[in-house]
Amino acid sequence: MSPAASAGGLLAHLEAHRGDVDLRLELTATPGRPVALVGPNGAGKSTTLAVLAGTHRLADGRIELAGRVLAGDGVDLPPERRGIGLVFQDYVLFPHLSVRDNIGFAVRVRTGRAAGRAAAEPWLERFGFTALADRLPVDRREGDVDLAELGELLRGLPIPTVVVTHSRADVEALGDEVLVLEAGTVTQHGTAAELRAHPATPYVARLFASTPE
């Protein structure tokens, strides 16, 4: 058992194949140190998420979370038993529920509406959404979250976090460690500052030469 996995971290040695992507990746994420996985379209970022979550089969390797084997060594837990959540770039909100009820939905389905609404209150306050709580879901212009604030939130969570992106701004604000994935393979690993100073591939050089999104 690895120290990262036993301490509540995520340890993954992944080999998977999907479409034109042949993915080979080693990834370690620990609570309080978000990992940014960055790469061009078709690099294997979505495949990585699918394999971690259990919606795509691991061809070879092993996935551990907090010392528990999720896949590999004859184990292949279904998504609902893995304890891994995905937050997608596109908003997937219930249009008939208020902002408060959308935020508290996961608690609501387990323990009821009142508990869900109570669980939503600290998050509404933290991100300044209290005035919007009883409205139906709002657009990005009204409900945007500052990247620095989001980074602070991720670093305070007691769980490992992997941020998948193609944005320089996301990488610099949210990733304490950065993995660059190109054509299914990690081509560089380090901090954003290290990658900016010493890009290992033309893609990395272009990424940090661009204007942050």
Side-chain angles (χ1 to χ4, degrees), residues 20-189:
D20 295 332
V21 176
D22 291 319
L23 177 68
R24 290 175 177 81
L25 171 71
E26 292 192 11
L27 185 155
T28 300
T30 56
R33 288 189 58 81
V35 174
L37 183 63
V38 64
N41 291 335
K45 302 187 300 296
S46 296
T47 299
T48 300
L49 290 182
V51 172
L52 291 174
T55 59
H56 187 79
R57 186 174 291 275
L58 184 70
D60 194 13
R62 180 185 176 95
I63 303 171
E64 293 180 52
L65 178 63
R68 186 169 65 109
V69 178
L70 308 184
D73 298 338
V75 175
D76 187 15
L77 295 182
E80 65 273 15
R81 293 181 56 200
R82 292 199 174 198
I84 291 179
L86 300 181
V87 179
F88 295 96
Q89 180 179 3
D90 295 328
Y91 301 124
V92 183
L93 300 172
F94 296 100
H96 63 291
L97 295 180
S98 68
V99 172
R100 177 184 283 109
D101 287 335
N102 266 282
I103 292 172
F105 184 79
V107 175
R108 171 179 174 157
V109 296
R110 294 196 306 270
T111 57
R113 184 183 183 196
R117 292 170 71 86
E121 290 302 323
W123 300 104
L124 290 166
E125 293 176 8
R126 175 163 188 166
F127 290 104
F129 288 170
T130 302
L132 306 175
D134 295 318
R135 294 179 56 176
L136 296 180
V138 293
D139 65 25
R140 184 175 179 86
R141 288 169 298 177
E142 291 190 81
D144 203 8
V145 175
D146 182 80
L147 281 177
E149 189 171 7
L150 179 57
E152 181 183 350
L153 169 65
L154 296 181
R155 292 177 179 93
L157 293 175
I159 56 175
T161 306
V162 178
V163 178
V164 174
T165 184
H166 56 77
S167 164
R168 171 185 167 183
D170 290 349
V171 168
E172 294 185 328
L174 305 179
D176 288 348
E177 298 181 49
V178 184
L179 289 179
V180 180
L181 189 63
E182 300 181 65
T185 302
V186 174
T187 56
Q188 194 164 4
H189 177 204

